[in-house]
Amino acid sequence: MVKNIFLALGLALPLIGCVTTAPQVATTKNYSVDSDTYQSTGKSQRIKTIVLHYTVSDNERSIKTLTTGNVSAHYLVLDKNDDKIYNLVPESERAWHAGEGGFSGRTILNDTSIGIEIVNAGIKPEYRDALKDDTLDYHPYDHYADFDELQIKKVAQLVQDIAGRYDISPKNIIGHADMAPSRKIDPGAKFPWERLYKEYGIGAWYNEADKQEIMNRRTLVTPSVQEIKQAFRKYGYQINNSDEWDKPSRDVIYAFQLHFRPLKPTGIMDIETYAILQALNMKYASRDDFY
């Protein structure tokens, strides 16, 4: 009888060793979060940039691409006559519209930007193969498709609202080409940056008098390639350190011209392009936009 009792205990003991007990959870007082007594001054808005794109597609395909795939944007402006701007991603969330590139010292713009897609064909169908025979390096103004007038008004309203709410610097309202010049050319030469600046106060534009003064300086020493590239960096463009106008460097020039000299986008550095760049730096580059 005794032997059987010990045998039973011996079989039971290992089972007792396998039993686990729940961890003790400490009880805490219900503390409140005070958001009023102390406030830091070292802060700024998370959204720093607005990036404008065109979709290179029609309404139906643009909607499908931006709502069902791995590409997205916060807003979509169709090319049909309605009174809507479509909000696809909440502003508080990260949309996948910018990709690799950078501007104004920031290199992961999806984290700190609002993306706006505008339905537009981009390059007109008859010119889409124009660069393949190596007679052209870049598309000229006439190769780009026009934007609908109602689209421009919608974009103006939307950008005004976003820029005001987040206190976005004028020069940080950019095109996809400005932040990724070797990959992208949108929103293209037909996007009316100058008009948006003059009629709606949107974005950056140079003072014509400053541009003319720089162009008319007879004693101006010809700047070196490195000096010009530094001027691009000063404004916000990413450009390499080579001592020549290689293809990546000319891509930056072309992107800049699409934005600020759209009637003559050549990818070639000339005195007018340089004067526009310097005039923009005179007007905007002293503002600290990084923080």
Side-chain angles (χ1 to χ4, degrees):
M1 176 68 71
V2 174
K3 181 178 180 181
N4 290 338
I5 292 174
F6 280 110
L7 180 60
L9 289 175
L11 291 173
L13 287 174
L15 295 176
I16 294 172
C18 292
V19 174
T20 59
T21 57
Q24 293 294 317
V25 178
T27 57
T28 60
K29 179 182 176 181
N30 186 20
Y31 296 99
S32 63
V33 176
D34 182 348
S35 302
D36 300 315
T37 304
Y38 308 107
Q39 286 286 297
S40 295
T41 58
K43 60 182 179 180
S44 65
Q45 294 283 2
R46 289 183 183 273
I47 302 301
K48 297 293 184 183
T49 311
I50 298 172
V51 183
L52 299 176
H53 310 255
Y54 59 40
T55 63
V56 196
S57 190
D58 58 20
N59 289 330
E60 184 178 347
R61 284 179 290 179
S62 297
I63 293 168
K64 182 177 180 180
T65 298
L66 293 168
T67 59
T68 63
N70 289 330
V71 178
S72 60
H74 293 91
Y75 293 97
L76 173 63
V77 178
L78 302 180
D79 67 354
K80 66 180 182 180
N81 187 16
D82 64 11
D83 60 355
K84 293 182 179 180
I85 299 168
Y86 296 90
N87 182 201
L88 308 183
V89 176
E91 290 181 7
S92 60
E93 295 180 11
R94 184 178 186 266
W96 299 344
H97 65 96
E100 183 180 355
F103 198 83
S104 287
R106 298 180 182 276
T107 57
I108 308 177
L109 289 188
N110 279 335
D111 289 354
T112 57
S113 68
I114 296 293
I116 301 172
E117 288 276 2
I118 310 164
V119 172
N120 179 273
I123 301 299
K124 296 175 182 178
E126 62 267 33
Y127 296 122
R128 286 178 185 166
D129 294 329
L131 307 185
K132 291 185 178 180
D133 61 4
D134 293 328
T135 59
L136 282 174
D137 289 329
Y138 300 100
H139 288 285
Y141 177 84
D142 291 341
H143 285 196
Y144 287 86
D146 294 315
F147 288 87
D148 182 79
E149 177 65 19
L150 184 57
Q151 286 181 308
I152 299 306
K153 292 179 178 179
K154 289 179 181 180
V155 170
Q157 174 190 312
L158 180 59
V159 174
Q160 278 182 328
D161 175 61
I162 296 169
R165 284 189 286 108
Y166 294 107
D167 190 27
I168 293 175
S169 167
K171 76 183 187 71
N172 286 349
I173 299 172
I174 62 173
H176 203 179
D178 294 308
M179 59 143 298
S182 289
R183 295 192 302 112
K184 299 294 181 178
I185 57 174
D186 54 317
K190 294 285 183 74
F191 188 78
W193 292 105
E194 182 178 10
R195 178 185 168 192
L196 289 179
Y197 172 81
K198 291 181 176 179
E199 293 184 15
Y200 298 96
I202 290 171
W205 200 257
Y206 57 89
N207 292 332
E208 182 65 25
D210 293 337
K211 169 195 160 184
Q212 291 299 329
E213 179 188 354
I214 294 167
M215 291 185 68
N216 293 335
R217 289 177 187 169
R218 300 301 181 188
T219 59
L220 180 66
V221 176
T222 302
S224 67
V225 173
Q226 285 297 339
E227 288 172 330
I228 298 173
K229 288 187 174 184
Q230 182 55 37
F232 274 112
R233 293 187 199 99
K234 184 177 181 181
Y235 188 74
Y237 286 87
Q238 289 189 326
I239 193 166
N240 65 32
N241 289 313
S242 71
D243 291 321
E244 60 181 344
W245 293 115
D246 53 13
K247 182 61 164 58
S249 302
R250 287 185 286 117
D251 291 343
V252 175
I253 296 171
Y254 182 69
F256 179 83
Q257 291 168 336
L258 286 176
H259 194 138
F260 296 107
R261 199 187 68 177
L263 294 177
K264 294 188 293 181
T266 62
I268 298 171
M269 196 67 207
D270 55 36
I271 182 59
E272 184 179 28
T273 301
Y274 177 73
I276 292 170
L277 175 59
Q278 290 293 65
L280 286 165
N281 276 329
M282 289 171 62
K283 188 173 182 179
Y284 297 108
S286 61
R287 175 169 174 169
D288 185 359
D289 300 310
F290 189 80
Y291 293 103

